[in-house]
Amino acid sequence: MTGFSDSAQAMSLVAFSAVATVTLLLCVMTGPDRDDLDEFYTGYGSLSPMRNGLAIAGDYISAATVLGTGGVIALCGYDGVVLALSTALSLVLLMFLLAEPLRNAGRFTMGDALTRRMPGRAVRIAACAVTLAALVPLMLVQLAGTGQLLAFILGFSSGSLKTGCIIGLGVLMISYAAIGGMKGTALIQILKMVMLLGSGGVVAVLILQRFDWDPGALFDAAAGQSGVGTAFLHSGLQFAGGPEPRLDMIVSQLTVVVGGACLPHITMRMYTAGSARQVRRSMSWAVSSVVLFVVVITVVGFGATALIGRAVIAQADPQGNTAYLLGSRAAFGAEVSTAETLLFTTVTTAIFLTLLASVAGMILACANSLAHDVFAGRGREISARREMTVARVSALAVGLPAILLATLVQHRSLQPLVTLSFCLGASAIAPALVYSLFWRRYTRTGLLCTLIGGSLVVLLLMPGTNLVSGSPVSAFPESDFNWFPFTTTGLVSIPAGFALGWLGTVLSERRGSDEQRRQYEAVEGWILAGAVRRGE
């Protein structure tokens, strides 16, 4: 039982249908009406800094963040708050270190940014492969979570209905990406952030009101209802089962900070800013929005534990993915008025929209990379109309397998997939971007070693982590092939990604190294000084 009234379930269903219809209509209305690549890929950079910042924040705050991080806060207390803060810090890192150089170096995709100084088809194909490897697991998490979330809210338990929800909403998300392009998906992200912050802010206020506006009283009540006492308010609860819980926590947070800043669907948004000044202002809005959401999700997560207890949350979902909804429902008390039912419907609709928008942005990033880096980068000129057609077909080619895989993994723990994406971002994409943008000696060989080698290290280590097996909450709880005693691969894979890039560069042929260094010096002003972007 969800504990949600029939009226709340009925209103949620109506709201979901209305949101799906309206957002698809908005995508049709705002999508590119000409065969113009700049309009499809970047929306001409026509969004104001505030709207672009909200779109960046919307891409960054995925359903995995809302549901997953909210669950960690409700179940693990202090460790969950640190995870939420790491999420915000990741965007700060992007703002200060990578945002402007990325905007100056790239045009449409991450492959553009990397080939600005090291042209070559191999670089573009490697960039596309890593983009797909990093984003497809996150897509599966969002899609599989869709069926579970709707089943939880609407009160049905049929497996076929859950699968039907995944398929139907997956098709809708593909439509958003293929029809709306960058501007259409940005509009959905903005709408999602406004609803998420607005409804979440009101719920957080209601929870604080229940505790006489005293955060200390809220935290103490949560600790009392957690079943673990004051340990709930100290570090180590989430990683208590491992041999090195403190080190595991530090490495996990480092992976989130470094990996989250470099995921391709986030860096893609840097190219939508019209100038270096606009990208700075956009990132300021994005960071402010994410920090505000971190405050909201912390209050709601602790409120869920304080009001209904940690055991009830864990019983509803061992990963705590329903904690945000349960906390929102508990904020109203036993008797729920019509206005409160309407507010709860807004909360559920915001999360539903988060699922839709997150996957649409990821599908768009993958489709853009396939079309622009692999197909259009084959060396011969193709028309803008043909490349846009390929991008739209690519959205289908990425989305359909993702839907199929999501239906297969929906009954497993999805945390390994989230972790895999962040590990790939931190171990392959982050070293490649940092070296490409800032290291003059970096060569094409070093870049390929970073992208391919860093990814392989992650893929080799990930099956051995305790998220995959050896634990009751792992993806395969009935098995135990856990030989790497950490939650993430970051302890080995992040240093390996940087080391492989350095080694590949050092071992490169001298003549080729000198030539590629001259190529970098030729574009260094564009990358670092914020010069006007050249046409391609």
Side-chain angles (χ1 to χ4, degrees):
M1 265 311 275
T2 65
F4 306 143
S5 65
D6 291 341
S7 60
Q9 292 175 348
M11 287 179 69
S12 294
L13 184 59
V14 171
F16 294 168
S17 304
V19 164
T21 304
V22 170
T23 50
L24 188 58
L25 181 61
L26 288 174
C27 274
V28 172
M29 293 172 63
T30 58
D33 54 3
R34 299 186 302 276
D35 297 321
D36 191 311
L37 294 179
D38 277 289
E39 186 177 12
F40 183 79
Y41 286 134
T42 68
Y44 283 133
S46 58
L47 294 175
S48 68
M50 184 183 75
R51 288 186 291 167
N52 198 33
L54 287 173
I56 293 169
D59 260 323
Y60 196 71
I61 301 296
S62 66
T65 306
V66 178
L67 304 178
T69 304
V72 176
I73 292 173
L75 296 178
C76 302
Y78 180 89
D79 288 350
V81 176
V82 174
L83 176 61
L85 291 174
S86 298
T87 304
L89 183 59
S90 176
L91 210 54
V92 174
L93 178 68
L94 175 62
M95 177 172 70
F96 285 112
L97 184 64
L98 297 176
E100 286 187 49
L102 267 174
R103 180 258 158 205
N104 297 328
R107 187 185 178 197
F108 297 146
T109 66
M110 186 174 70
D112 284 338
L114 296 175
T115 56
R116 169 69 76 180
R117 60 173 291 190
M118 286 173 279
R121 181 155 169 75
V123 173
R124 287 192 177 274
I125 291 175
C128 179
V130 174
T131 296
L132 291 170
L135 293 186
V136 168
L138 269 183
M139 279 188 230
L140 301 186
V141 173
Q142 320 281 337
L143 285 169
T146 298
Q148 296 173 4
L149 180 73
L150 290 184
F152 181 74
I153 294 171
L154 302 178
F156 61 79
S157 57
S158 168
S160 58
L161 282 175
K162 292 180 183 179
T163 301
C165 288
I166 292 173
I167 294 171
L169 293 178
V171 171
L172 189 61
M173 295 165 196
I174 294 171
S175 303
Y176 287 160
I179 297 171
M182 182 63 75
K183 194 185 290 186
T185 55
L187 189 63
I188 300 170
Q189 299 288 9
I190 293 166
L191 181 60
K192 151 194 158 179
M193 282 307 295
V194 171
M195 290 187 66
L196 203 57
L197 289 174
S199 60
V202 174
V203 170
V205 167
L206 290 174
I207 289 174
L208 287 173
Q209 189 179 35
R210 296 279 295 271
F211 293 92
D212 298 323
W213 308 102
D214 183 359
L218 170 62
F219 296 157
D220 290 340
Q225 289 278 61
S226 67
V228 293
T230 56
F232 192 73
L233 303 179
H234 296 86
S235 65
L237 191 58
Q238 183 182 6
F239 305 95
E244 295 287 344
R246 187 66 58 119
L247 180 61
D248 198 5
M249 179 179 181
I250 293 171
V251 174
S252 294
Q253 308 312 329
L254 178 65
T255 303
V256 170
V257 171
V258 178
C262 301
L263 289 174
H265 69 300
I266 308 298
T267 58
M268 170 183 74
R269 291 279 170 196
M270 302 303 106
Y271 313 132
T272 62
S275 66
R277 181 171 180 267
Q278 280 200 336
V279 82
R280 286 195 299 270
R281 293 177 63 195
S282 297
M283 289 303 300
S284 297
W285 278 102
V287 170
S288 302
S289 302
V290 170
V291 168
L292 180 58
F293 184 73
V294 166
V295 174
V296 167
I297 201 170
T298 299
V299 173
V300 176
F302 272 95
T305 306
L307 294 173
I308 62 177
R310 185 168 176 253
V312 175
I313 296 170
Q315 185 179 8
D317 186 316
Q319 305 293 328
N321 287 332
T322 56
Y324 189 84
L325 283 168
L326 290 171
S328 301
R329 168 64 183 82
F332 305 133
E335 295 296 325
V336 182
S337 66
T338 303
E340 289 171 334
T341 301
L342 185 60
L343 175 60
F344 180 74
T345 302
T346 307
V347 172
T348 58
T349 306
I351 295 177
F352 174 72
L353 194 55
T354 300
L355 287 161
L356 292 178
S358 298
V359 179
M362 293 171 197
I363 289 175
L364 183 65
C366 292
N368 288 358
S369 186
L370 275 171
H372 189 66
D373 293 329
V374 176
F375 188 82
R378 290 185 300 173
R380 64 174 187 265
E381 199 73 28
I382 66 169
S383 66
R385 169 177 286 188
R386 192 172 182 194
E387 184 171 337
M388 280 185 62
T389 302
V390 171
R392 285 170 166 150
V393 172
S394 297
L396 196 65
V398 171
L400 290 180
I403 293 170
L404 176 62
L405 289 172
T407 62
L408 299 176
V409 303
Q410 61 177 314
H411 303 299
R412 298 280 181 184
S413 169
L414 303 175
Q415 189 59 39
L417 295 176
V418 178
T419 304
L420 175 63
S421 291
F422 280 93
C423 287
L424 286 170
S427 308
I429 300 174
L433 290 178
V434 170
Y435 280 157
S436 294
L437 296 173
F438 303 112
W439 189 21
R440 287 187 176 187
R441 286 186 58 197
Y442 200 40
T443 63
R444 184 181 293 108
T445 302
L447 174 60
L448 293 174
C449 286
T450 305
L451 290 174
I452 298 171
S455 299
L456 287 177
V457 172
V458 172
L459 294 174
L460 286 172
L461 293 177
M462 195 68 210
T465 63
N466 53 29
L467 290 177
V468 178
S469 70
S471 163
V473 294
S474 62
F476 298 95
E478 67 281 359
S479 305
D480 188 359
F481 41 87
N482 169 218
W483 58 269
F484 188 73
F486 294 99
T487 304
T488 72
T489 67
L491 183 66
V492 174
S493 61
I494 295 177
F498 281 95
L500 288 168
W502 174 82
L503 188 63
T505 298
V506 169
L507 297 179
S508 298
E509 183 184 351
R510 175 81 184 195
R511 179 185 298 175
S513 301
D514 291 341
E515 180 185 346
Q516 288 173 49
R517 179 170 179 170
R518 285 194 296 272
Q519 288 176 335
Y520 176 72
E521 289 172 349
V523 298
E524 187 175 16
W526 276 280
I527 294 174
L528 300 181
V532 176
R533 189 186 310 164
R534 296 183 301 176
E536 302 214 359

